Amino acid sequence: MFRTALRNVLAHKARLLMTVLAVTLGVAFVSGTLTFTDTLSKSLSSQSAKNYDGIAVSVTSYGRNGEENGKKTEPGISQKTLDQVKVLKGVESVSGRLSGFAGVGDENGRLIGSGWSNKGANYAPGKDGKDPRYTFTAGRGPAGADRIALDKATAATGKYEVGDKVRVATNSPVKEYTLSGVFTTEDGAVNAGGSLVLFDTAVAQKLYLEPGFYQELSVAARAGTSAEQLLDGIKPLLDSENTKAQTGAALAKEQAESIAKEMSTVSSMLLAFAGIALFVGVFLIYNTFTMLVAQRTKELALLRAVGAKRGQVIRSVMSEALVVGAVASAIGLACGVGLAVAMRSLMDSLGAKIPSGSLVVASSTVVTALVIGVLVTLVAAVFPAWRTGRIPPVAAMGSAHLPATSKSLVRRNTIGSVISVLGTGLVLLGVSMGFDGRTVIGIGAFLMLIGLIVLLPLLSHPVIAAARPALEKVFGVPGKLAAQNAVRNPRRTAVTAASLAIGLTLVTTMSVLGITMGKAVDRMSTDKLKADYKVSMSNGMGELDASVVETLAKARGIKEVSPHTDGSFSADGTIRLASGVNPAAIGNLLNIEVLSGSLDRLAKGEVAVAEKTAKNENLAVGSTLQAQFDDGRKSTLKVGAVYKDMESLLSPYIMDGKILSEHSEDQYIREVYVNTTGGESKASEKAIIDALGNNPAMTVATRQDMRDEMGGTINLALNIMYGLLGMALIISVLGVVNTLAMSVFERTQEIGMLRAIGLDRSRLKNTIRLEAVVISLFGAVLGIAIGVFLAWAIGTTFSKDVPDYQLVLPYDRISIFLLLAAVVGALAAMWPARTTARLNVLTAIKTE
């Protein structure tokens, strides 16, 4: 029987090719994802480990200026501590490290590299005058307040050479330095597509901390001294509450684990899409084996007649599935490795520099890919194989098929209805639970999809019947025949439509949610912004220096300026987040809806409280709070106003920024709002840019710029999702091809009769094409409908936390989805339609 199964596989290569392709796509995505993330994880871990070569002990500071538990705290590790560590027995050398944001502009003033990975650090030479972390290819390390060094990639991008003047931006206005050297490094920021600027240590301390302090110490051991021995000697010298000392090996291991965890998150997301593709592929595999069994009905009956048992026939079909699954999985594994290489090259071409390293194809990846591919194929083939075993030999010899009994259909529809009602009920229950109901909605959505798949044969009749009059009116006889053929075998039509329905359910849900949330965020932020411009760090990373506010306030053409400072204080044992603003200008820069009291009271040292917080804390105008700030000092704050929540822009408490600055030397200025005398105009924007010294690290944005930025982010996420779900649609196309091919096979004699009574080839082709389009649109309509319902349900859980939330139906995108479904059907019908039109009339009529 196994030899028979192998012969059958070779005899139906064209049919099985589509199944092989479906399994191959899913397995390729699984193996490609695992290979890519394993390779990237190993490369990043190896790169990270190189940064700790030669480091026996690393000391990291978490300190800051202020007071904790009645003791004054320092901003970092002092020079005194470094000197104490340096003279310990067994210490070869100690270097102090610190870093922060630094951006370099190109010849056009644009920021080089990704804003989130543009770093500045200190150059810390050892006894030999060299810093082991950096290898110079030109010039030397910076020495002096006006000198810097650049990494090789940044220097090449900016076309800078040793001796050139380079404009460098930190959180304060841009400054000009002389380039003293160009170096290579294994620093992760540079390899991630960013830039690295090296400063003299004294300059870096002034920029990022305080003179005489470091963020880290890197300690090298003398020969014969272990890292553990050094660690034991260093710990007593440190402030244990604000510093952490560990061996270089432990730190490298910690970094590797962190990288592995991050890669696991990426891998899980990509594998979810691979799972969707494999799930959709199940329907194609099911259809393929159903078709193969139908084509070999006589052959299987003959095997039964000559003594083959039912179990042997079932095992024969399952053996075919095993062979197909194994072959497809092996091909998919090979394609997955190629996909991993392609993904790595793509990231390199996009500027995300992947550290060098060999490709990692783990044994677990090989086993996972093969097991998943074979298992999916076997599961999909079980039911067709089981139905094959139920066909009696005599009935099969007469080419009769077991019709679906009314009892089985009633049972199927009953089960489907129960699952659908249960799923819908869980979704509605999740909606009533609010934010905490999303998991319940997810379970309900899964059950709804399962119920839909079970009920699709029942739904196909009324849905397609509703479209039949339009098909007849527009396309005539081909339209009528297409509608009839689409529901002739409702089970197969349902299986084919299910793949499209699942894909479009996911796409529609995410599209509606993405666009709805985008509009809501747009209303929350830009509609609340009255300022002409918002100044912030590029890519929203890092804080602005206080000098930026002072510079803008003094600039010509500037009417009003208010910083938005993030701060906090504690009251009644809980931390309260606060926004520091300019009381004299904030009312003209932000559209703050005051419910009671007045914002004018901010200038008197009072605070404004968001409505939701006021209700939760039982606060009103006139209430007082006993506040304790970060520096340990206490103050009584009086509520001067209650305003409508603006969570996307402001913290629950608003106060004069001067109050926050009095209690913290390190103000975190998130952004600065600006009104100009000339309003929004190119001249006004240029005035702000010039006042900031044409700083490449700072962004000057209008309200429209902010809308475009938010819309671009959401659209990018949606486009990535569309691309990942594209595999499911490709498999859906193969499923439609399979269904039509099976339909043509079953109706060969009927097609011959239609041709004999006058139906020409072109109208016959149209019939097949229309049948495919009808099946595709049937699945698309159901998928879109469920997708909109799920988007409404999930969105409702956000509505209480997102002011002015309103469901937005993107009719343009929904129309595109329907059009694509129709195109999918038309493309899938090309080969079956051509094959049908070429059938010999007499041969077709004689076919049993």
Side-chain angles (χ1 to χ4, degrees):
M1 292 301 292
F2 185 71
R3 288 197 299 271
T4 301
L6 288 177
R7 284 197 298 270
N8 287 329
V9 169
L10 296 175
H12 299 91
K13 293 187 289 291
R15 290 282 183 268
L16 291 171
L17 180 62
M18 288 180 285
T19 293
V20 169
L21 183 57
V23 178
T24 296
L25 285 173
V27 171
F29 211 148
V30 171
S31 57
T33 295
L34 294 176
T35 301
F36 174 71
T37 52
D38 286 345
T39 300
L40 187 57
S41 180
K42 182 179 179 181
S43 298
L44 291 174
S45 297
S46 298
Q47 179 196 67
S48 177
K50 287 181 181 178
N51 288 331
Y52 303 110
D53 285 347
I55 298 178
V57 176
S58 175
V59 182
T60 304
S61 169
Y62 302 98
R64 61 177 179 174
N65 270 332
E67 188 174 324
E68 292 182 7
N69 300 322
K71 295 172 59 179
K72 185 178 180 181
T73 59
E74 296 182 332
I77 303 170
S78 68
Q79 182 67 42
K80 178 183 176 182
T81 302
L82 185 150
D83 293 336
Q84 289 175 333
V85 172
K86 185 183 293 186
V87 298
L88 285 176
K89 182 180 179 180
V91 172
E92 176 66 24
S93 63
V94 182
S95 57
R97 304 285 178 180
L98 64 160
S99 62
F101 172 81
V104 178
D106 61 15
E107 56 187 1
N108 297 315
R110 290 190 296 265
L111 185 68
I112 297 175
S114 305
W116 60 270
S117 55
N118 294 120
K119 285 178 56 179
N122 68 310
Y123 180 68
K127 296 177 182 178
D128 59 356
K130 298 179 180 179
D131 190 326
R133 290 193 178 187
Y134 313 106
T135 302
F136 278 80
T137 59
R140 59 179 183 272
D146 62 341
R147 303 282 172 170
I148 62 162
L150 290 177
D151 68 272
K152 187 176 181 180
T154 301
T157 302
K159 299 179 181 179
Y160 294 118
E161 296 181 355
V162 173
D164 288 348
K165 296 294 183 180
V166 182
R167 292 166 61 80
V168 179
T170 53
N171 299 333
S172 55
V174 67
K175 294 182 181 180
E176 194 170 75
Y177 298 85
T178 299
L179 183 63
S180 67
V182 176
F183 60 88
T184 58
T185 178
E186 293 294 332
D187 190 282
V190 175
N191 285 291
S195 62
L196 179 59
V197 182
L198 294 182
F199 299 94
D200 181 81
T201 295
V203 176
Q205 288 177 330
K206 187 176 180 180
L207 285 173
Y208 301 127
L209 212 58
E210 280 189 16
F213 288 91
Y214 302 91
Q215 295 167 341
E216 299 177 36
L217 296 183
S218 298
V219 185
R222 289 177 182 171
T225 303
S226 69
E228 287 73 17
Q229 289 174 325
L230 278 187
L231 185 62
D232 291 339
I234 291 172
K235 281 185 175 180
L237 304 177
L238 306 176
D239 177 358
S240 58
E241 293 183 3
N242 295 311
T243 56
K244 180 180 180 181
Q246 56 190 138
T247 64
L251 186 57
K253 182 181 178 182
E254 185 180 280
Q255 291 290 322
E257 291 174 350
S258 175
I259 291 170
K261 186 177 181 180
E262 291 177 6
M263 288 299 103
S264 176
T265 302
V266 175
S267 177
S268 298
M269 182 187 72
L270 294 176
L271 287 175
F273 288 98
I276 292 169
L278 287 169
F279 184 56
V280 172
V282 166
F283 300 102
L284 171 59
I285 300 167
Y286 170 84
N287 255 1
T288 298
F289 279 95
T290 298
M291 180 170 61
L292 291 176
V293 167
Q295 289 177 326
R296 289 163 33 213
T297 301
K298 283 190 175 183
E299 174 190 329
L300 294 171
L302 181 60
L303 290 173
R304 291 292 309 279
V306 297
K309 297 180 180 179
R310 177 180 295 178
Q312 289 178 300
V313 173
I314 293 175
R315 286 194 293 274
S316 173
V317 176
M318 294 302 292
S319 297
E320 290 180 49
L322 177 63
V323 172
V324 171
V327 172
S329 299
I331 297 173
L333 177 61
C335 292
V337 174
L339 179 63
V341 174
M343 290 171 70
R344 184 171 179 171
S345 299
L346 177 62
M347 290 190 70
D348 280 335
S349 66
L350 293 175
K353 303 169 189 175
I354 304 300
S356 59
S358 59
L359 194 69
V360 178
V361 184
S363 57
S364 58
T365 298
V366 176
V367 172
T368 300
L370 294 177
V371 168
I372 287 177
V374 171
L375 190 62
V376 166
T377 309
L378 290 176
V379 169
V382 165
F383 192 63
W386 177 71
R387 293 186 67 188
T388 300
R390 294 184 62 209
I391 300 177
V394 176
M397 291 295 286
S399 294
H401 300 276
L402 279 180
T405 64
S406 58
K407 180 180 179 181
S408 68
L409 290 175
V410 170
R411 183 169 59 248
R412 175 177 182 142
N413 294 336
T414 301
I415 294 173
S417 299
V418 170
I419 296 174
S420 297
V421 170
L422 178 60
T424 304
L426 286 175
V427 170
L428 295 176
L429 175 61
V431 169
S432 66
M433 293 171 63
F435 187 86
D436 297 327
R438 292 175 199 171
T439 301
V440 177
I441 291 177
I443 297 172
F446 178 75
L447 291 177
M448 281 186 67
L449 285 176
I450 297 299
L452 171 69
I453 293 168
V454 177
L455 283 177
L456 276 175
L458 176 65
L459 296 173
S460 63
H461 280 282
V463 174
I464 296 178
R468 179 174 172 178
L471 288 171
E472 290 185 33
K473 185 175 181 180
V474 177
F475 300 102
V477 173
K480 179 178 181 180
L481 291 174
Q484 290 176 339
N485 294 332
V487 294
R488 174 172 295 188
N489 191 328
R491 292 186 185 225
R492 189 165 58 245
T493 296
V495 172
T496 304
S499 58
L500 274 172
I502 292 170
L504 284 174
T505 294
L506 296 170
V507 170
T508 303
T509 300
M510 297 308 296
S511 294
V512 174
L513 274 177
I515 292 173
T516 297
M517 293 303 295
K519 295 289 186 183
V521 171
D522 187 27
R523 286 191 294 271
M524 283 192 304
S525 55
T526 57
D527 288 356
K528 299 293 185 181
L529 185 65
K530 293 161 61 176
D532 296 332
Y533 296 96
K534 183 184 78 171
V535 177
S536 60
M537 297 301 291
S538 296
N539 294 343
M541 303 303 296
E543 75 273 16
L544 296 167
D545 190 80
S547 61
V548 172
V549 182
E550 298 171 4
T551 300
L552 289 174
K554 298 175 183 177
R556 294 176 61 183
I558 305 299
K559 183 180 178 181
E560 296 171 307
V561 174
S562 175
H564 178 187
T565 305
D566 283 344
S568 65
F569 62 90
S570 62
D572 298 327
T574 59
I575 300 297
R576 314 293 176 95
L577 299 179
S579 292
V581 300
N582 177 3
I586 194 63
N588 296 324
L589 296 166
L590 294 181
N591 187 17
I592 303 174
E593 184 179 345
V594 178
L595 303 177
S596 60
S598 172
L599 291 179
D600 294 338
R601 297 182 183 179
L602 296 179
K604 300 177 181 179
E606 299 182 9
V607 297
V609 186
E611 179 185 19
K612 189 186 299 182
T613 301
K615 289 181 179 178
N616 292 338
E617 302 295 336
N618 196 26
L619 297 174
V621 174
S623 300
T624 58
L625 289 165
Q626 299 303 315
Q628 180 174 341
F629 291 90
D630 293 342
D631 60 359
R633 287 190 286 170
K634 298 180 179 180
S635 178
T636 300
L637 298 177
K638 185 177 180 181
V639 177
V642 176
Y643 69 97
K644 191 169 183 180
D645 292 73
M646 297 173 62
E647 295 177 3
S648 63
L649 288 176
L650 294 170
S651 299
Y653 293 87
I654 307 174
M655 63 176 60
D656 190 338
K658 293 179 181 178
I659 297 177
L660 291 177
S661 64
E662 288 174 358
H663 298 283
S664 175
E665 294 184 8
D666 300 321
Q667 297 184 68
Y668 188 97
I669 302 177
R670 183 193 303 182
E671 55 216 2
V672 177
Y673 302 114
V674 182
N675 269 343
T676 59
T677 54
E680 283 188 22
S681 67
K682 290 184 178 180
S684 297
E685 184 173 348
K686 187 176 186 303
I688 296 174
I689 293 173
D690 290 343
L692 296 171
N694 196 20
N695 192 325
M698 295 184 189
T699 299
V700 179
T702 64
R703 286 188 291 271
Q704 188 58 49
D705 291 334
M706 285 179 275
R707 284 190 176 95
D708 294 341
E709 181 182 351
M710 286 181 289
T713 302
I714 292 173
N715 285 331
L716 176 62
L718 289 176
N719 289 336
I720 291 174
M721 186 198 65
Y722 293 155
L724 293 172
L725 288 174
M727 282 199 314
L729 296 179
I730 292 173
I731 295 173
S732 298
V733 172
L734 300 177
V736 176
V737 173
N738 246 4
T739 295
L740 293 177
M742 183 64 186
S743 179
V744 169
F745 167 75
E746 291 181 346
R747 296 175 3 234
T748 301
Q749 188 179 61
E750 175 189 322
I751 290 169
M753 292 296 295
L754 290 172
R755 289 292 312 282
I757 62 176
L759 188 67
D760 58 34
R761 289 184 175 181
S762 63
R763 287 195 291 177
L764 184 58
K765 286 183 178 180
N766 285 339
T767 300
I768 302 299
R769 293 191 192 104
L770 287 172
E771 181 180 347
V773 171
V774 167
I775 293 173
S776 298
L777 287 176
F778 168 57
V781 168
L782 293 177
I784 289 172
I786 295 177
V788 170
F789 174 70
L790 293 179
W792 165 82
I794 297 172
T796 302
T797 65
F798 289 100
S799 60
K800 293 182 179 179
D801 299 314
V802 181
D804 302 323
Y805 176 89
Q806 295 175 2
L807 185 70
V808 178
L809 294 181
Y811 294 105
D812 53 344
R813 299 201 184 195
I814 290 175
S815 299
I816 291 174
F817 297 158
L818 289 172
L819 179 61
L820 285 175
V823 171
V824 163
L827 291 176
M830 291 177 64
W831 175 65
R834 184 170 178 271
T835 302
T836 303
R838 295 176 63 185
L839 285 174
N840 182 280
V841 177
L842 295 178
T843 302
I845 292 175
K846 291 188 294 181
T847 301
E848 297 183 10

